[in-house]
Amino acid sequence: MIVTPLDSAVLDSKEQYVFYHKMVDFVLKELIVNIQKQNLCSSQELVIFKQYTDLLLYSIEAMRVKYMYDEDDNMKIDLTESGFPNYLEFRYLYNDLELKNEYISKLENIEDLKEEFLDTLLRKKQHVKRRRLFQASSIVYYNSVNQQYIFNRFVQGKILEAPENSPAEFLTSWSFYDVTDNRPYVCFIYFNYEGKRINDYKEKLYAVLRESGDRNMALDTLAYNIDRKLPDIHPKYVKRIDLGPLHNVFAKDENLITHAILEGIAKKEIPLESYALSFKTDEVFSGGSFKEGGFFSKQILQKWNDVEHRKYVFAPHRIIQLLHNKTPEVLNKLAKEPIQTSDLKIDI
């Protein structure tokens, strides 16, 4: 996939980086609170979901530090229906940190830089040059950002015992950043295991999830692929959360909600920090099982029910009013009325 300048909106100032990070941080925290209020996830799913969003926020903060004073390059927001950073930005972060030690060895001494800054600010009463600020932010970036906390294209969760009254005995999760629509997805699978120790089988399970579940596809197809490739695993319930698009001033897609918000901002009907977040869940349950294969190699596979699709929108009260006026046809297709979140206030 070739990314051209037209594929991304560029953040090109310190103020924009701060603004964007505050927005994403605020929106995701509001989302967690309201998912719990609306019972859209179980308590255990919510804990896991928050861990993945923490990785996402950590990565966006790392991008902010990386690009803050960089005059040669800028962070890119994807122009598909996303509102999140282009997936290449996450790859650049990860690749940077692969060479962390090499970069650190080329950076200036921290104490020398501190002394120079103090001399410039206190004795000379001058502003520190942007190039020198970039040097300082690079030191912070390479010395403080941990590669293992970067939201990678695929992130595997642990195998856990499922809570009481769950559809199956075990639960595991994974998350991926889809390279086509540039949005994060979080997946859960509840399953039974025929063997004695699930840890003996986990590497095989993880390999199949990575191979089969790293992109957006029909959920029943995904469930069938996992079921077929893992004879000792019997999936009973698969759930996928599609996080986004995040509709905001940085998004430039053709989505009707994004368009309504951009138009409202342009006409000064709503403030610059206005936002809405789309949120979708797909769920599929096993409705029984059947045997497939020859006389000597039969395998028990699941019969999958129809996939259940649900769409939600989270937004502050003023934005919900705007959407009722501008995009009633979109809101009519939601699983429930738009879910009200708090207003974001940023001093601009």
Side-chain angles (χ1 to χ4, degrees):
M1 180 180 175
I2 299 172
V3 176
T4 70
L6 294 177
D7 292 322
S8 303
V10 174
L11 302 188
D12 58 7
S13 71
K14 173 184 173 181
E15 291 73 25
Q16 286 187 0
Y17 287 118
V18 172
F19 185 101
Y20 181 74
H21 181 265
K22 282 183 178 178
M23 171 173 283
V24 177
D25 181 79
F26 181 87
V27 171
L28 291 182
K29 286 173 179 172
E30 280 290 301
L31 176 66
I32 297 291
V33 169
N34 284 283
I35 286 176
Q36 187 170 22
K37 284 182 181 176
Q38 300 290 328
N39 293 315
L40 301 184
C41 289
S42 71
S43 56
Q44 191 169 29
E45 288 171 357
L46 188 64
V47 170
I48 295 168
F49 181 76
K50 184 180 183 303
Q51 290 169 349
Y52 289 122
T53 57
D54 284 346
L55 293 180
L56 183 62
L57 285 172
Y58 183 90
S59 302
I60 293 173
E61 169 65 4
M63 290 175 200
R64 185 184 71 81
V65 174
K66 174 183 177 179
Y67 286 122
M68 181 78 82
Y69 300 103
D70 190 345
E71 294 181 334
D72 300 321
D73 208 355
N74 301 103
M75 178 176 151
K76 296 170 183 64
I77 306 301
D78 196 77
L79 288 189
T80 57
E81 293 194 8
S82 168
F84 290 105
N86 187 282
Y87 89 95
L88 287 172
E89 295 292 354
F90 293 91
R91 200 171 84 184
Y92 295 154
L93 274 185
Y94 199 82
N95 291 347
D96 276 354
L97 298 170
E98 285 277 296
L99 303 171
K100 180 176 181 175
N101 293 332
E102 184 182 325
Y103 284 121
I104 286 176
S105 67
K106 296 177 181 177
L107 295 173
E108 293 191 41
N109 181 277
I110 296 175
E111 294 305 318
D112 291 345
L113 206 58
K114 279 183 183 175
E115 236 176 81
E116 179 192 320
F117 280 19
L118 289 172
D119 184 60
T120 302
L121 293 167
L122 300 179
R123 188 178 67 81
K124 297 179 180 177
K125 309 291 185 185
Q126 296 174 354
H127 292 296
V128 177
K129 291 180 179 177
R130 189 178 178 89
R131 179 178 59 82
R132 304 302 285 159
L133 289 171
F134 178 56
Q135 290 283 329
S137 65
S138 295
I139 290 171
V140 173
Y141 173 63
Y142 286 112
N143 281 286
S144 64
V145 178
N146 191 325
Q147 188 189 50
Q148 75 181 80
Y149 299 136
I150 299 301
F151 194 104
N152 213 338
R153 180 174 164 182
F154 182 92
V155 184
Q156 178 64 60
K158 295 179 180 178
I159 297 173
L160 305 169
E161 287 189 11
E164 199 174 342
N165 300 322
S166 294
E169 184 181 0
F170 295 103
L171 159 68
T172 193
S173 66
W174 70 98
S175 184
F176 64 92
Y177 207 85
D178 189 86
V179 300
T180 303
D181 54 27
N182 282 281
R183 296 200 299 270
Y185 290 76
V186 178
C187 306
F188 303 94
I189 182 168
Y190 291 77
F191 62 93
N192 293 328
Y193 174 57
E194 277 192 4
K196 292 182 179 178
R197 295 181 69 252
I198 186 60
N199 279 341
D200 295 340
Y201 205 72
K202 71 176 183 180
E203 294 307 323
K204 191 171 182 180
L205 171 60
Y206 290 167
V208 168
L209 293 180
R210 177 180 288 274
E211 176 190 320
S212 302
D214 69 341
R215 68 196 75 90
N216 187 13
M217 66 170 73
L219 197 62
D220 49 356
T221 302
L222 171 64
Y224 174 75
N225 287 343
I226 294 169
D227 192 21
R228 182 174 54 80
K229 291 177 181 179
L230 295 166
D232 294 337
I233 295 283
H234 301 305
K236 296 297 180 183
Y237 169 48
V238 185
K239 178 177 183 176
R240 180 176 62 211
I241 293 172
D242 175 1
L243 184 54
L246 171 56
H247 314 279
N248 65 89
V249 70
F250 296 108
K252 300 287 187 290
D253 56 63
E254 294 300 316
N255 186 286
L256 292 176
I257 294 178
T258 303
H259 185 71
I261 288 176
L262 291 178
E263 185 182 347
I265 291 172
K267 292 180 176 178
K268 301 191 183 305
E269 296 171 346
I270 53 176
L272 192 65
E273 59 267 42
S274 299
Y275 71 90
L277 180 70
S278 290
F279 181 90
K280 294 177 279 296
T281 62
D282 290 346
E283 298 173 285
V284 64
F285 287 88
S286 166
S289 60
F290 65 98
K291 290 183 179 180
E292 182 181 80
F295 185 77
F296 294 106
S297 58
K298 280 188 167 56
Q299 183 180 348
I300 297 175
L301 296 174
Q302 306 301 308
K303 292 178 182 175
W304 295 103
N305 296 334
D306 292 338
V307 178
E308 298 175 17
H309 308 279
R310 295 184 181 88
K311 295 181 180 181
Y312 306 89
V313 167
F314 295 80
H317 178 66
R318 177 69 190 88
I319 307 305
I320 292 174
Q321 287 181 319
L322 176 81
L323 296 179
H324 272 297
N325 291 331
K326 303 281 188 181
T327 61
E329 70 279 17
V330 176
L331 302 191
N332 288 339
K333 296 176 183 176
L334 299 178
K336 56 168 62 181
E337 280 289 303
I339 298 163
Q340 186 174 329
T341 54
S342 301
D343 289 304
L344 170 62
K345 298 189 183 301
I346 299 178
D347 294 328
I348 302 167

